[in-house]
Amino acid sequence: MTSIPSRRRLLATGAVAALGLGTLGATAPPAAAAPTTAARGAEETRTLDELYQAAIAEGGKLVIYAGGDLANSGSGAGARTAFRQRFPQIDLNLIVDYSKYHDVRVDNQFATDTLVPDVVQLQTLHDFTRWKRQGRLLHYKPAGFSKLHKKFRDPDGAWVAGMVIAFSYLYDVAAAGADAPQTPLDLVDPRWKGAIASSYPHDDDAVLYLYALYAETYGWDWMARLAAQQPQFARGSFSPGTAVTNKEKIIGVGAGGNPLATTPNRWVMTDGHPFMAWGQRLAILKQAANPTAAKLYLNWQLSTERQTSNSWSVRTDIAPPTGLKPIWEFPNANLDGFPRFMEDRAQVERLKHTFALYFGEVKGDPTPGWPGLHPGA
């Protein structure tokens, strides 16, 4: 397997990718400038309620493009429901789609001068560094910015991470019994043939990175043995957990989960073996039609009321639940590796095609549906 990218190759690839943008016929982006004193300045001092009133006065509208697997469930749809309950006078239109479609949708809207969203909340981490270079993002520091772990914020406030998401594998505790798979190595045990569900690694870059870590750690012979287990593949990172919960399969690979849950399913992150985690990035677009409402959303997402939960926080001043360390204290979570991986688009494409050779082509319609070119307009 091609190794996880070196810094030198990463920078070279990024330069080539930046040059390639000019061939797409896009209109020239705003010229990127050095951060101003205001951009480097203090955090937001207004309360959520003060921002709420200012957003109502602005017009009371907000459009967000959020990465996710399902239009009406999952973290993106959950944020939609919670925000509407907290701020009922804001007309929020939060559209869920795969991040890989939302990012090119936004690029096409830039190119055609038809921008719709105020906020982007996506898994495609490399887009945020590119959009920052292009001058597309508003430099803004929400309240609590200084409390974010350094891996979860751009130093100039061009983007922040609003939540931690992690992928590994899980299994049905009762069905797996005493010989449950304790590490990814156990997934190729012949007893699990026909018992594994997985999201396609060549359809989702986060699942792709998890599989790349498996291949790098255990070798391509191990990957061939996994393919021989005849996993059931489907689109959407929710699908493995659904297959296990519905008793269709015993093991689900490439899925998120609660690391503290022990029944009915156990999500595994064994010391010394890889899993992957990242901070889902949020940014306000510089051309946003509703910048105050956008600021309200970012402040709400990073607030203590939102960050205190049964899982990891992006904030250093909010302790994880009892039994967990902060996500940045897990070296096998590969927090640094995923952003580097996402920047090397040539390697991503090679790995997608490689896994297609092992597991077959991606099949099925996108699970969020087909939102089109300008959802939310």
Side-chain angles (χ1 to χ4, degrees):
M1 153 181 184
T2 305
S3 63
I4 300 302
S6 67
R7 175 179 172 81
R8 180 176 298 175
R9 193 169 88 248
L10 204 166
L11 293 173
T13 305
V16 171
L19 289 172
L21 290 172
T23 66
L24 299 179
T27 56
T36 64
T37 301
R40 298 192 301 267
E43 299 173 11
E44 178 64 72
T45 58
R46 288 172 289 180
T47 67
L48 289 178
D49 289 336
E50 288 171 338
L51 284 165
Y52 180 28
Q53 293 305 313
I56 293 172
E58 178 184 66
K61 295 184 181 297
L62 177 61
V63 180
I64 300 172
Y65 283 0
D69 295 307
L70 295 168
N72 295 310
S73 64
S75 61
R80 179 200 297 138
T81 299
F83 186 87
R84 286 174 174 171
Q85 290 175 345
R86 179 68 170 81
F87 308 106
Q89 294 186 60
I90 301 298
D91 179 12
L92 169 65
N93 195 349
L94 188 150
I95 298 103
V96 175
D97 197 3
Y98 296 153
S99 293
K100 65 181 181 180
Y101 295 151
H102 265 330
D103 65 345
V104 295
R105 179 175 287 122
V106 169
D107 282 331
N108 182 258
Q109 291 175 9
F110 285 147
T112 56
D113 195 24
T114 56
L115 185 66
V116 175
D118 304 298
V119 173
V120 284
Q121 176 178 300
L122 304 174
Q123 173 186 297
T124 49
L125 308 185
H126 59 290
D127 287 310
F128 293 81
T129 55
R130 175 173 62 86
W131 285 330
K132 180 186 177 183
R133 289 194 302 270
Q134 294 174 349
R136 295 293 191 183
L137 304 181
L138 181 69
H139 290 193
Y140 172 69
K141 296 180 180 180
F145 180 87
S146 60
K147 301 298 184 182
L148 299 178
H149 192 275
K150 63 182 180 180
K151 299 178 189 297
F152 296 141
R153 61 183 182 185
D154 173 74
D156 299 316
W159 56 263
V160 295
M163 67 211 71
V164 174
I165 304 176
F167 282 174
S168 183
Y169 73 93
L170 52 80
Y171 61 85
D172 181 325
V173 173
D179 294 324
Q182 299 303 309
T183 77
L185 282 172
D186 297 331
L187 300 179
V188 298
D189 190 302
R191 71 165 62 90
W192 307 125
K193 185 171 183 178
I196 299 173
S198 178
S199 39
Y200 283 108
H202 36 315
D203 190 43
D204 181 299
D205 285 357
V207 182
L208 181 71
Y209 182 55
L210 179 67
Y211 270 72
L213 290 170
Y214 288 164
E216 184 176 53
T217 305
Y218 308 126
W220 286 103
D221 288 344
W222 179 92
M223 194 63 66
R225 293 171 64 193
L226 181 64
Q229 298 284 65
Q230 299 177 349
Q232 171 187 287
F233 285 96
R235 301 191 75 176
S237 60
F238 71 95
S239 61
T242 299
V244 173
T245 298
N246 291 344
K247 306 296 183 180
E248 298 166 7
K249 300 293 179 181
I250 298 174
I251 299 169
V253 183
N258 185 341
L260 297 179
T262 57
T263 56
N265 303 331
R266 179 169 180 262
W267 188 84
V268 182
M269 49 176 201
T270 307
D271 288 347
H273 293 269
F275 70 104
M276 62 86 59
W278 75 99
Q280 191 85 327
R281 292 181 181 176
L282 299 86
I284 301 172
L285 298 173
K286 187 175 288 187
Q287 296 170 250
N290 306 290
T292 307
K295 291 175 181 178
L296 171 64
Y297 183 79
L298 264 63
N299 280 271
W300 172 74
Q301 281 283 32
L302 299 181
S303 66
T304 55
E305 69 181 66
R306 184 73 176 160
Q307 288 291 315
T308 303
S309 70
N310 63 353
S311 189
W312 290 292
S313 173
V314 295
R315 293 179 61 132
T316 59
D317 60 337
I318 297 179
T322 302
L324 276 184
K325 300 181 294 185
I327 189 63
W328 48 85
E329 293 185 11
F330 289 88
N332 54 328
N334 296 283
L335 275 181
D336 293 322
F338 186 51
R340 289 196 301 265
F341 177 82
M342 293 295 282
E343 294 283 352
D344 191 340
R345 303 315 295 171
Q347 185 193 27
V348 166
E349 289 304 309
R350 285 193 299 272
L351 284 170
K352 285 181 179 179
H353 297 313
T354 301
F355 284 114
L357 295 176
Y358 279 78
F359 303 125
E361 293 288 350
V362 174
K363 297 177 182 177
D365 290 337
T367 52
W370 297 91
L373 282 172
H374 299 95

